[in-house]
Amino acid sequence: IKNPKKRFFGRNQNKTVELSIEEKAWIAANPTISSIALKNWPPIDFQEAHGKHTGIAADILGLATNRVGLKVEPQFGPWAEMLSKLQRGQIDLAPEIYHTEERAKFLAYSRPFLPLYNAIFVGPEGQNFKTMADLKGQKVAVEKGYAMEGVLKTKYPGIHPIVVKSTLEALK
């Protein structure tokens, strides 16, 4: 990439991207790519009532792929299932995925386009947790296949993860 700052964002948003001969050939051979799309992770990634893929990740992915002439086919499903398909090569990319050493064995990462942070939510009657150490002995809901599932098991063995199917289920 000759000048990454001019590739997708900035003053040149409406211009096409300069591609190498190899990149053009790859796009010609692969005009449609598949992408992980989550149904219920607003505002980052979600599916509208009529089925449209929307959210920050969908918008940025759309901007980038339109500039290079690719079409995106979103693949909706539970995170763990989508991650498994990504690992098997049945899905081409995941626009918002945490870096882990395990995933780095089968994925190539770009720089993040959006910083994501972890948070612990408690109900109104819940304790005031200030550090991860404060959660020792507590149950914490985490979505199956999310990086935090592994982090809790390896770095915080005193915390008891409850694995759930979706982020919204974890929040309940």
Side-chain angles (χ1 to χ4, degrees):
I1 300 173
K2 293 178 184 172
N3 187 345
K5 291 182 180 181
K6 291 185 178 180
R7 292 291 301 249
F8 299 108
F9 308 107
R11 294 182 188 156
N12 299 320
Q13 283 188 12
N14 296 323
K15 294 184 179 181
T16 58
V17 175
E18 291 181 33
L19 299 172
S20 69
I21 293 170
E22 293 84 7
E23 290 168 330
K24 289 176 184 177
W26 190 91
I27 290 171
N30 303 279
T32 303
I33 58 172
S34 58
S35 174
I36 288 179
L38 301 177
K39 289 185 177 186
N40 292 306
W41 197 36
I44 308 297
D45 204 14
F46 58 103
Q47 186 176 31
E48 292 181 355
H50 61 280
K52 181 183 177 197
H53 182 214
T54 195
I56 297 167
D59 290 346
I60 292 174
L61 185 59
L63 285 170
T65 55
N66 285 340
R67 300 243 354 246
V68 298
L70 283 167
K71 295 204 182 307
V72 178
E73 183 179 292
Q75 301 289 310
F76 291 98
W79 177 254
E81 178 186 323
M82 296 293 99
L83 186 60
S84 179
K85 286 184 173 186
L86 183 68
Q87 185 173 6
R88 292 191 310 265
Q90 296 173 322
I91 294 179
D92 298 312
L93 70 101
E96 67 292 320
I97 187 167
Y98 280 92
H99 181 277
T100 67
E101 293 302 319
E102 183 179 327
R103 292 175 183 170
K105 294 174 186 172
F106 63 91
L107 291 176
Y109 285 90
S110 66
R111 281 191 336 245
F113 62 83
L114 179 68
L116 299 173
Y117 302 95
N118 294 310
I120 301 285
F121 294 91
V122 296
E125 70 288 342
Q127 297 177 21
N128 186 13
F129 300 106
K130 293 187 177 147
T131 69
M132 292 299 284
D134 295 338
L135 292 169
K136 187 172 183 175
Q138 300 295 315
K139 295 177 185 175
V140 175
V142 61
E143 188 166 346
K144 182 173 179 58
Y146 270 36
M148 187 50 69
E149 179 185 5
V151 169
L152 288 178
K153 289 178 181 176
T154 58
K155 291 188 176 182
Y156 304 99
I159 297 173
H160 308 291
I162 298 174
V163 181
V164 297
K165 293 180 183 177
S166 72
T167 300
L168 291 179
E169 187 178 335
L171 291 171
K172 292 178 182 178

